[in-house]
């Protein structure tokens, strides 16, 4: 839950973050990278935020 004045967190972003964390805990570097790349593409496409 977000605090007043803050937008609700994006469910898709949260899912990519979770997938990255699980992959990291399982020492699956390829899957971890995939989750990061997919999240970055999602953020650029859906939230209009360019990533560095």
């Amino acid at each position: 839950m977000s605090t007043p004045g803050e937008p609700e967190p994006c469910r898709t972003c949260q899912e990519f973050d979770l997938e990255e964390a699980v992959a990291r805990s399982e020492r699956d570097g390829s899957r971890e990278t995939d989750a990061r790349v997919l999240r970055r593409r999602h953020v650029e496409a859906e939230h209009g935020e360019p990533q560095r």
Side-chain angles (χ1 to χ4, degrees):
M1 181 178 278
S2 64
T3 58
E6 289 184 25
E8 285 292 318
C10 173
R11 175 96 180 203
T12 303
C13 287
Q14 291 176 327
E15 289 172 358
F16 284 129
D17 290 343
L18 177 61
E19 177 63 24
E20 182 181 355
V22 169
R24 187 179 309 115
S25 74
E26 294 176 355
R27 300 180 189 270
D28 187 340
S30 178
R31 202 167 101 211
E32 184 181 351
T33 299
D34 289 347
R36 240 189 334 268
V37 169
L38 292 170
R39 184 184 196 284
R40 185 176 303 130
R41 288 179 185 170
H42 161 75
V43 168
E44 289 175 350
E46 300 298 321
H47 302 291
E49 298 174 19
Q51 298 292 305
R52 49 187 169 144

